[in-house]
Amino acid sequence: MKKYFTLIIGLLISVNGFAQDGNWKTATLKDGKVNVKSKIVTQKVNNKEKNVFYYVVETVVDVNLGKAETFMRNSANYKKFLENMGATSELKKISANAWLTYIYFDNSWPVSDNDCVQKFEFVKTNNGFYISGKAAPTEFEVKKVERINLYDVVYKFEQIADKKIKVSIDAVFSPTGAIPKVLMNSWLPNGPERIISRLVESISK
């Protein structure tokens, strides 16, 4: 539990710490129901200069926490809400609250297909739960596509009032290969909004 809590805090600091430099863009979408904070920066990933996406997206909805937990524990469900999905599957159960997930991104031209391996960990809180995913690129054999080396995310579900759940996603990732700048900029802020909206819709079914 202590190890997991340290991981959560580390991920939140790595994402939210960048808010202090003043370069975030903010947007309110879906008639004021979804808030997005995002940015693209250039920084070193595995000693190479890469484009890195940061985003924090949140909404308040009426969903069942137990149903949300069951949904988020199933790796196969992640293809229902992430972007450009080919497939998602669980590679290995590490413990009752930790597992490895494989994600295949079936991207459209001119972006090449790629994949990602993430280690997910789950923890209950006083008013909900967190699920964090951290890139673990060496935990599974490399296939025929390039592997994403940076993709860390925290999915957070908090009960803030009766039948009111705050859902948030804090993410940082660096795509493989070169992506035209116009495509990168066009993905924000609507990309994160689509992800959280599909997530909520999938849990609500």
Side-chain angles (χ1 to χ4, degrees):
M1 179 69 72
K2 183 178 179 181
K3 180 180 177 182
Y4 181 82
F5 182 75
T6 301
L7 174 63
I8 285 289
I9 295 300
L11 284 172
L12 290 173
I13 290 174
S14 70
V15 174
N16 292 327
F18 282 83
Q20 299 176 8
D21 65 13
N23 291 328
W24 288 85
K25 295 181 180 179
T26 61
T28 301
L29 307 172
K30 299 280 282 191
D31 297 325
K33 296 178 181 179
V34 178
N35 295 312
V36 182
K37 186 169 63 175
S38 62
K39 66 187 294 185
I40 303 173
V41 302
T42 301
Q43 67 184 67
K44 285 190 175 181
V45 178
N46 289 356
N47 295 319
K48 293 183 179 180
E49 291 291 326
K50 300 279 288 183
N51 292 310
V52 179
F53 290 70
Y54 289 84
Y55 73 82
V56 181
V57 57
E58 62 182 34
T59 188
V60 176
V61 293
D62 179 6
V63 295
N64 180 273
L65 275 176
K67 191 174 181 181
E69 177 182 335
T70 300
F71 182 90
M72 295 301 297
R73 282 179 175 274
N74 186 348
S75 296
N77 286 332
Y78 286 56
K79 66 177 178 289
K80 298 177 181 179
F81 64 89
L82 293 175
E83 296 269 89
N84 304 318
M85 281 290 90
T88 58
S89 61
E90 184 176 296
L91 292 173
K92 182 172 66 174
K93 182 75 71 178
I94 299 171
S95 69
N97 291 314
W99 61 92
L100 282 178
T101 291
Y102 178 77
I103 303 172
Y104 186 93
F105 294 93
D106 186 10
N107 297 310
S108 301
W109 185 89
V111 182
S112 299
D113 292 355
N114 48 35
D115 67 7
C116 180
V117 177
Q118 287 178 303
K119 180 182 178 181
F120 280 98
E121 296 192 60
F122 169 92
V123 67
K124 280 190 177 294
T125 63
N126 290 334
N127 60 346
F129 66 89
Y130 295 98
I131 288 184
S132 75
K134 188 170 180 63
T138 62
E139 293 294 322
F140 185 61
E141 63 179 315
V142 176
K143 300 294 186 178
K144 295 181 180 180
V145 296
E146 286 191 80
R147 177 148 300 164
I148 293 174
N149 291 301
L150 173 62
Y151 191 169
D152 299 342
V153 61
V154 177
Y155 300 99
K156 190 175 182 181
F157 294 76
E158 303 172 274
Q159 184 149 15
I160 59 175
D162 185 37
K163 295 186 178 180
K164 294 294 182 183
I165 306 298
K166 182 179 178 181
V167 182
S168 63
I169 305 172
D170 293 10
V172 50
F173 68 95
S174 180
T176 61
I179 300 176
K181 190 172 183 179
V182 64
L183 289 182
M184 290 193 297
N185 290 330
S186 67
W187 191 73
L188 297 170
N190 299 93
E193 179 275 312
R194 290 192 297 267
I195 290 174
I196 201 167
S197 293
R198 284 194 298 262
L199 172 60
V200 171
E201 289 168 6
S202 298
I203 293 172
S204 300
K205 291 181 178 178

